Amino acid sequence: MRDEDKTVEHEDLEPSTGMNHTASANQQIQEVPVTNQIGLDENESPEGSSVLTSSGERLQETRTELNHLQRLRQTCACPPHGLLDKVITNVTMVVLLWAVVWSITGSECLPGGNLFGIIILFYCAVIGGKLFGLIKLPTLPPLPPLLGMLLAGFLIKNIPVINDNVQIKHKWSSSLRSIALSIILVRAGLGLDSKALKKLKGVCVRLSMGPCLVEASTSALLAHFLLGLPWQWAFILGFVVGAVSPAVVVPSMLLLQEGGYGVEKGIPTLLMAAGSFDDILAITGFNTCLGMAFSTGSTIFNVFRGVLEVLIGVATGSLLGFFIQYFPSSDQSKLVWKRAFLVLGLAVLAVFSSMYFGFPGSGGLCTLVMAFLAGRGWASKKAEVQKIIAVAWDIFQPLLFGLIGAKVSIASLRPETVGCNRICSFGHSKITWR
């Protein structure tokens, strides 16, 4: 019995031993390629690595070519997609705008007509701004689009063939520029920070009045002695040269404010408020001197007329600002659109009404005060109104700078006048810098 048991145990052990031998053999077979591969990698020659590198580069080039082919197929697909679809859509919208206006106005929208000139100027200014925005110089920030808009208006005015067909009436040009001024002053008023303005009110007054008066006086002195202009006309030129354009300052400061730059110290608010008040002061001084040059009345009345413009602007702006704080009420539907309509409508009305009644400086100040008080009352809802005002500015910005560029006529300039004017500008800039 013992012998049989040993035999049975021996038979049971044999398969397991066989399985162990098989497993060890398989393990050795699997280890051989790994060992061989490691040996090959260690003994691999530079020629083999270069072959692998070149094959990887070819594979990458193949994938790039496939991506280009795929994009080309998408572009040339029917119906089109991507860039081709965008170009066709934009061209269709441009032609459709002109066709709709032509169907309503007729000859006004044909070459030589007033609306035709406005549409062409708008398109060229937009294209010029886009092209200048694409120019990137090393170690320098991108060029502002307004340079392209100014250049577009300048070229339209000074190329004879285009100038003969693109004609814009003076009344339309002045009205569009006034609307753009009202929009940018609304943006400035809504963008002011009341806490920063309260803390920096003294600096704001000095920064708005000091440079403007010094520049205007310096330019007036130089213009009187170099150009031989009377004192009234010399100061008119001085206030024109010394004015700061809020259309340039305000958008840049709003971009800095959105990025959080200088917000803690109130720098964007300070520069927006100072730039806007500087422009209003220049407008008031210009109209005061213009009234003295053409008026036969008392000089004292013309001087106090500027003070009266400031008082009227502040009083009217405060009244309208408190009004639109509460009307419409916060429980009404489409609240943001109603507020944006009211603040824009009242701003445009204030600017044009002030010119109609003979107090042009009060309109801009009224707009700035009204927008500031309204934004202070709207609090958290102010940002949504600012987005709508920004869209209106995107429309009128090309018109404003295009029309300004179109006001420069090379044929009307004389070399000696340009030289003296450059001397005046250089002199007042050096004195202001010091």
Side-chain angles (χ1 to χ4, degrees):
M1 293 293 292
R2 291 178 180 175
D3 296 336
E4 292 177 358
D5 292 337
K6 289 180 180 180
T7 305
V8 172
E9 289 177 0
H10 182 69
E11 290 176 355
D12 293 336
L13 289 172
E14 280 181 355
S16 63
T17 305
M19 291 176 63
N20 291 334
H21 284 297
T22 306
S24 62
N26 291 333
Q27 185 176 1
Q28 291 177 359
I29 292 170
Q30 291 176 359
E31 288 177 355
V32 168
V34 177
T35 306
N36 293 336
Q37 186 176 359
I38 294 172
L40 287 173
D41 292 338
E42 291 177 353
N43 299 323
E44 188 176 4
S45 62
E47 296 179 357
S49 61
S50 62
V51 170
L52 290 175
T53 305
S54 61
S55 62
E57 292 178 353
R58 289 176 183 174
L59 181 61
Q60 187 176 2
E61 291 177 358
T62 306
R63 290 178 180 175
T64 305
E65 291 177 358
L66 291 175
N67 291 333
H68 288 310
L69 289 174
Q70 188 175 2
R71 290 178 182 176
L72 184 61
R73 289 175 182 175
Q74 290 179 355
T75 304
C76 300
C78 186
H81 297 280
L83 181 61
L84 181 59
D85 182 85
K86 185 178 180 180
V87 171
I88 294 174
T89 303
N90 291 336
V91 171
T92 304
M93 292 174 64
V94 168
V95 175
L96 180 62
L97 176 61
W98 172 83
V100 169
V101 178
W102 170 79
S103 64
I104 297 172
T105 60
S107 60
E108 279 291 316
C109 207
L110 295 176
N114 187 58
L115 294 178
F116 178 82
I118 293 174
I119 293 174
I120 295 299
L121 179 69
F122 176 78
Y123 290 157
C124 293
V126 171
I127 294 172
K130 294 290 184 183
L131 293 177
F132 264 70
L134 297 175
I135 299 175
K136 295 181 180 180
L137 300 176
T139 69
L140 290 176
L143 295 176
L146 63 90
L147 291 178
M149 300 173 187
L150 288 169
L151 182 61
F154 175 78
L155 293 176
I156 289 174
K157 179 66 177 178
N158 293 281
I159 297 177
V161 179
I162 299 177
N163 186 30
D164 295 338
N165 294 300
V166 179
Q167 299 288 333
I168 300 175
K169 295 180 181 178
H170 175 73
K171 185 176 181 180
W172 280 79
S173 175
S174 176
S175 299
L176 290 173
R177 284 184 278 117
S178 298
I179 294 173
L181 174 64
S182 62
I183 293 173
I184 198 61
L185 289 177
V186 168
R187 293 194 72 191
L190 292 176
L192 296 178
D193 184 3
S194 58
K195 295 180 181 179
L197 190 62
K198 184 178 180 180
K199 183 173 65 175
L200 300 171
K201 56 181 180 295
V203 181
C204 180
V205 172
R206 294 196 300 270
L207 189 60
S208 60
M209 296 186 65
C212 180
L213 294 177
V214 171
E215 291 177 15
S217 301
T218 305
S219 297
L221 287 172
L222 294 174
H224 177 72
F225 291 107
L226 290 179
L227 300 178
L229 295 177
W231 283 112
Q232 295 93 334
W233 287 98
F235 273 97
I236 289 174
L237 177 62
F239 281 112
V240 170
V241 175
V244 172
S245 176
V248 178
V249 177
V250 172
S252 303
M253 292 301 105
L254 288 175
L255 288 176
L256 292 178
Q257 194 175 47
E258 291 175 1
Y261 297 101
V263 176
E264 294 182 359
K265 296 183 179 180
I267 294 175
T269 294
L270 173 64
L271 293 179
M272 282 191 294
S276 301
F277 283 123
D278 183 288
D279 187 64
I280 293 168
L281 178 62
I283 292 173
T284 304
F286 173 84
N287 287 284
T288 301
C289 295
L290 193 65
M292 293 172 63
F294 286 100
S295 176
T296 57
S298 175
T299 305
I300 299 176
F301 172 76
N302 290 322
V303 172
F304 281 101
R305 183 179 179 180
V307 179
L308 185 61
E309 286 186 2
V310 174
L311 295 177
I312 293 174
V314 172
T316 309
S318 301
L319 180 63
L320 294 177
F322 284 116
F323 174 80
I324 59 178
Q325 276 187 6
Y326 305 103
F327 299 94
S329 58
S330 57
D331 58 345
Q332 294 190 27
S333 60
K334 299 181 180 179
L335 179 63
V336 176
W337 285 97
K338 291 179 180 179
R339 285 175 172 175
F341 174 77
L342 281 176
V343 72
L344 276 179
L346 290 174
V348 174
L349 179 64
V351 171
F352 281 93
S353 298
S354 63
M355 291 188 292
Y356 178 79
F357 289 108
F359 298 98
S362 61
L365 186 58
C366 172
T367 300
L368 189 66
V369 173
M370 176 189 65
F372 170 68
L373 293 176
R376 188 178 179 183
W378 294 339
S380 59
K381 296 290 184 180
K382 181 176 72 172
E384 299 179 8
V385 178
Q386 286 178 308
K387 292 179 181 178
I388 300 175
I389 307 299
V391 174
W393 172 245
D394 290 338
I395 297 173
F396 278 89
Q397 184 188 19
L399 289 173
L400 173 64
F401 290 109
L403 289 170
I404 292 174
K407 286 295 180 181
V408 181
S409 177
I410 296 178
S412 302
L413 298 177
R414 291 183 297 174
E416 61 274 13
T417 305
V418 175
C420 293
N421 188 23
R422 287 297 88 205
I423 294 173
C424 294
S425 300
F426 178 76
H428 97 264
S429 63
K430 293 294 289 184
I431 291 175
T432 305
W433 182 80
R434 291 181 185 277

